[in-house]
């Protein structure tokens, strides 16, 4: 059994969460999701369980369980022969049957063992990463964002794998399909209270319960603030009035005010990511032909003021096409004269620079400064202003790229797998922004639930 007792995890600057308790065994066959904003400490929790992260208080014990860990970043040796790599994982030669069974289970041909990992698709890579775990016969799996960069077929496979795994799973994911179809329980890191809150059930149960909770908190806080205002107004008018000079009523009102203000301060309402931008630019009501090209003997067209999805399996060339469109539009002098401003949100949002976030933003003169300050707050980047860019998590870096894209006031936006690494709160905010803005959107995404929230006008199938 895995037992976590009063666990508090922090870094040099702040506490991620405190006093977390969890008991998990393989026989319960639980599939638990850990949710929280990017940078809230989810991956740190898994690494703490593994003994890799040491900055914590509390205790963790593991008895009679084998833990398998799926890291966000693959460490498979690209130039290694797959068969040789898998054989080196076996303790004894007679255990080769494990490889045979897993190849059959994952519908992989024998010939693939003669290839290197560099020859594989993302979907095939994830299968061998899971085989690597299963050869060690784990009873509890810790999976850190396993669906990143996967196409729909691979996500469907991953869903089946999690559901069929004979043991328990602690899963970090922002993929709604997995949260809906695999999860039995959800724990959410609350950045306001620094606690981890428990919700039974899947995504829908979590979202509905959480939404109702926040609504009740807002209602209660508003009621208390109204009461506090009434008492303050009364004290302002009557505290020194002769009628109440020698009365205990003033003291009673002050005590009541103090009590109410304490209650208000104890209500910690979760602050979700939002993207709300005032748009004072008059948009044309009619759509017009913006771009045409030919790709793999297929004629393609993009219209302005429309949301276009480019669909197709991994490796078909969607990202290549998106970059081609970006370059063609960016270099079109006539479109620039018409006021067309193009921006691309690439799959890889990582920063190599050690420049601090605030200095980086100050040096970017293409950003609308008034809008910049609003977006820093809305995208929850304020607490990261003194953080070096290279230390941003994948999701934090993606939110920063989104900030730049919006603050540049682009009116043609290309999005390449925008939900990769992006937490569920930011995904919802982004989908709302896309639907509300009268912009030209060209989208590549394998996240069918994200796409389903968008009012897509046309789809290009490759």
């Amino acid at each position: 059994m895995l037992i976590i007792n009063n666990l508090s995890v922090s870094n040099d600057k702040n506490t991620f969460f405190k006093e977390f308790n969890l008991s998990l065994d393989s026989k319960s066959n639980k599939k638990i999701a850990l949710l929280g904003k990017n940078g809230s400490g989810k991956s740190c929790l898994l690494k703490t369980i593994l003994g890799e992260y040491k900055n914590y208080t509390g205790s963790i014990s593991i008895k009679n369980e084998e833990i398998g860990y799926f890291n966000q970043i693959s460490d498979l040796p690209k130039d290694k022969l797959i068969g040789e790599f898998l054989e080196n994982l076996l303790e004894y030669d007679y255990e080769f049957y494990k490889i045979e069974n897993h190849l059959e289970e994952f519908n992989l041909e024998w010939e693939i063992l003669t290839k290197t990992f560099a020859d594989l698709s993302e979907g095939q890579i994830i299968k061998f990463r899971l085989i690597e775990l299963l050869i060690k016969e784990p009873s509890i799996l810790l999976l850190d964002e396993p669906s990143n960069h996967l196409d729909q077929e691979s996500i469907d496979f991953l869903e089946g794998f999690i559901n069929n795994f004979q043991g328990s799973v602690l899963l970090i994911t922002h993929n709604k399909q997995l949260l809906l179809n695999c999860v039995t329980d959800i724990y959410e890191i609350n950045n306001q209270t620094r606690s981890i809150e428990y919700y039974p059930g899947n995504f829908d149960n979590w979202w509905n319960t959480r939404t109702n909770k926040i609504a009740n908190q807002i209602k209660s806080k508003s009621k208390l603030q109204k009461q506090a205002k009434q008492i303050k107004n009364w004290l302002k008018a009557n505290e020194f009035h002769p009628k109440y000079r020698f009365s205990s009523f003033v003291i009673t009102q002050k005590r009541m005010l103090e009590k109410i203000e304490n209650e208000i301060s104890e209500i910690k309402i979760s602050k979700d990511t939002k993207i709300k931008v005032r748009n004072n630019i008059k948009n044309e009501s009619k759509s017009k032909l913006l771009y045409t090209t030919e790709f793999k003997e297929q004629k393609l067209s993009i219209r302005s003021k429309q949301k276009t999805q480019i669909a197709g399996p991994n490796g078909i060339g969607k990202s290549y096409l998106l970059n081609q469109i970006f370059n063609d539009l960016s270099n079109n002098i006539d479109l620039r004269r018409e006021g067309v401003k193009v921006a691309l949100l690439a799959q890889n949002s990582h920063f190599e620079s050690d420049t601090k976030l605030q200095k980086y933003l100050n040096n970017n003169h293409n950003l609308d400064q008034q809008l910049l300050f609003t977006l820093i707050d809305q995208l929850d980047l304020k607490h990261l202003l003194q953080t070096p860019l290279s230390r941003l998590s994948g999701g934090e870096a993606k939110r920063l790229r989104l900030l730049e894209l919006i603050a540049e006031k682009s009116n043609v936006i290309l999005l390449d797998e925008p939900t990769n690494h992006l937490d569920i709160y930011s995904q919802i905010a982004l989908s709302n922004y896309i639907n509300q803005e009268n912009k030209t959107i060209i989208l590549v995404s394998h996240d069918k639930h994200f796409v389903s929230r968008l009012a897509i006008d046309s789809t290009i199938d490759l």
Side-chain angles (χ1 to χ4, degrees):
M1 178 175 282
L2 167 64
I3 300 176
I4 300 174
N5 187 37
N6 287 332
L7 184 68
S8 299
V9 176
S10 59
N11 60 15
D12 296 335
K13 293 184 178 180
N14 56 56
T15 299
F16 291 123
F17 55 85
K18 54 190 178 182
E19 298 177 357
F20 175 53
N21 297 286
L22 175 69
S23 296
L24 184 63
D25 62 57
S26 54
K27 293 181 181 179
S28 62
N29 203 33
K30 287 188 176 181
K31 308 297 189 284
I32 297 174
L34 180 64
L35 298 184
K37 288 188 175 182
N38 298 127
S40 61
K42 302 183 297 297
S43 295
C44 278
L45 172 57
L46 299 192
K47 290 178 180 178
T48 303
I49 294 172
L50 294 167
E52 296 178 5
Y53 192 82
K54 304 294 185 182
N55 201 352
Y56 72 93
T57 60
S59 64
I60 300 172
S61 66
I62 303 173
K63 295 180 179 179
N64 301 320
E65 303 286 2
E66 180 70 29
I67 305 294
Y69 174 55
F70 185 102
N71 198 348
Q72 281 192 43
I73 302 171
S74 172
D75 58 358
L76 293 177
K78 290 186 177 181
D79 298 327
K80 189 90 169 179
L81 287 174
I82 296 170
E84 181 183 347
F85 174 80
L86 293 179
E87 286 181 14
N88 289 340
L89 297 175
L90 302 175
E91 190 172 356
Y92 304 103
D93 290 341
Y94 70 82
E95 291 182 322
F96 193 80
Y97 71 90
K98 293 182 180 179
I99 297 175
E100 295 176 332
N101 291 344
H102 293 316
L103 288 177
E104 183 179 352
E105 178 186 359
F106 291 173
N107 197 27
L108 296 166
E109 299 294 333
W110 276 96
E111 289 76 13
I112 204 168
L113 297 180
T114 62
K115 296 182 178 181
T116 66
F117 289 109
D119 299 323
L120 304 185
S121 68
E122 290 288 350
Q124 291 171 325
I125 287 287
I126 193 173
K127 288 184 178 182
F128 279 105
R129 291 187 67 193
L130 293 173
I131 288 174
E132 180 185 12
L133 292 182
L134 293 178
I135 283 176
K136 301 170 186 176
E137 299 183 347
S139 55
I140 295 177
L141 291 180
L142 309 181
L143 306 180
D144 194 351
E145 298 202 30
S147 63
N148 279 338
H149 307 290
L150 296 185
D151 61 16
Q152 187 57 53
E153 181 182 354
S154 300
I155 293 172
D156 291 341
F157 164 80
L158 185 60
E159 176 190 330
F161 170 82
I162 293 172
N163 284 330
N164 294 327
F165 177 70
Q166 297 302 305
S168 290
V169 177
L170 183 55
L171 168 71
I172 297 174
T173 185
H174 305 300
N175 184 279
K176 189 176 177 182
Q177 177 178 336
L178 300 182
L179 291 171
L180 277 170
N181 301 337
C182 300
V183 170
T184 60
D185 305 88
I186 289 177
Y187 286 86
E188 180 188 18
I189 300 176
N190 187 320
N191 283 12
Q192 299 297 313
T193 62
R194 304 296 177 187
S195 62
I196 299 183
E197 300 171 349
Y198 171 68
Y199 296 84
N202 67 359
F203 176 91
D204 283 342
N205 293 328
W206 164 74
W207 185 255
N208 292 334
T209 303
R210 183 179 183 275
T211 301
N212 291 334
K213 177 183 176 182
I214 292 175
N216 290 332
Q217 285 179 317
I218 293 172
K219 185 177 179 181
S220 298
K221 191 170 187 176
S222 177
K223 183 178 179 181
L224 289 170
Q225 287 172 332
K226 184 177 180 180
Q227 293 175 358
K229 184 178 181 181
Q230 290 174 341
I231 295 174
K232 286 178 181 178
N233 289 339
W234 186 91
L235 287 171
K236 184 177 180 180
N238 299 296
E239 182 177 4
F240 301 106
H241 193 282
K243 180 179 178 180
Y244 299 102
R245 183 175 297 174
F246 302 105
S247 170
S248 62
F249 190 68
V250 171
I251 297 174
T252 301
Q253 290 298 295
K254 286 184 176 181
R255 288 175 178 170
M256 180 66 72
L257 178 61
E258 183 180 2
K259 179 176 179 293
I260 290 173
E261 287 180 335
N262 286 336
E263 290 179 14
I264 291 173
S265 66
E266 290 174 0
I267 298 177
K268 305 291 186 181
I269 301 174
S270 296
K271 182 183 176 183
D272 285 349
T273 304
K274 59 182 179 180
I275 307 174
K276 292 185 178 180
V277 180
R278 287 186 178 182
N279 191 353
N280 297 321
I281 301 173
K282 289 186 177 181
N283 289 300
E284 300 174 13
S285 58
K286 291 185 179 180
S287 170
K288 64 180 183 180
L289 186 64
L290 181 70
Y291 176 81
T292 60
T293 190
E294 188 171 302
F295 186 76
K296 294 189 175 182
E297 301 181 353
Q298 182 178 351
K299 290 184 178 181
L300 312 175
S301 62
I302 303 292
R303 298 189 65 85
S304 65
K305 313 297 180 186
Q306 288 196 352
K307 301 171 184 65
T308 302
Q309 180 191 8
I310 301 174
N314 271 350
I316 197 69
K318 299 185 300 300
S319 294
Y320 179 88
L321 174 59
L322 201 67
N323 279 280
Q324 177 185 314
I325 295 171
F326 172 73
N327 291 328
D328 290 347
L329 292 177
S330 300
N331 295 325
N332 190 312
I333 297 175
D334 293 333
L335 288 177
R336 290 210 302 268
R337 286 172 180 166
E338 293 176 15
V340 172
K341 194 170 185 180
V342 188
L344 169 66
L345 182 66
Q347 282 195 46
N348 183 11
S349 300
H350 182 67
F351 291 86
E352 298 290 345
S353 171
D354 288 329
T355 303
K356 291 185 177 179
L357 173 56
Q358 186 166 32
K359 184 178 180 180
Y360 172 79
L361 292 174
N362 290 340
N363 291 339
N364 191 338
H365 302 296
N366 295 322
L367 306 181
D368 182 288
Q369 293 300 306
Q370 185 175 357
L371 185 55
L372 179 63
F373 291 114
T374 300
L375 290 169
I376 287 173
D377 181 60
Q378 291 184 353
L379 290 168
D380 198 23
L381 294 170
K382 193 171 183 179
H383 68 289
L384 297 170
L385 288 174
Q386 298 307 313
T387 302
L389 296 176
S390 59
R391 293 182 59 184
L392 297 178
S393 70
E396 290 167 343
K398 183 64 71 76
R399 293 209 306 271
L400 175 55
R401 296 295 191 190
L402 274 174
L403 177 146
E404 293 180 287
L405 181 148
I406 297 169
E408 286 174 355
K409 292 191 171 180
S410 305
N411 47 26
V412 177
I413 298 175
L414 293 80
L415 305 172
D416 192 357
E417 299 292 355
T419 60
N420 279 350
H421 302 290
L422 203 61
D423 62 50
I424 193 72
Y425 323 93
S426 300
Q427 290 181 27
I428 293 171
L430 177 59
S431 64
N432 291 337
Y433 170 78
I434 291 172
N435 284 331
Q436 291 165 5
E437 291 293 307
N438 188 24
K439 298 179 184 290
T440 305
I441 305 292
I442 309 171
L443 169 73
V444 170
S445 177
H446 287 120
D447 189 335
K448 66 180 182 181
H449 288 280
F450 177 76
V451 174
S452 71
R453 290 196 293 264
L454 305 178
I456 297 294
D457 297 296
S458 62
T459 300
I460 298 172
D461 288 305
L462 299 182

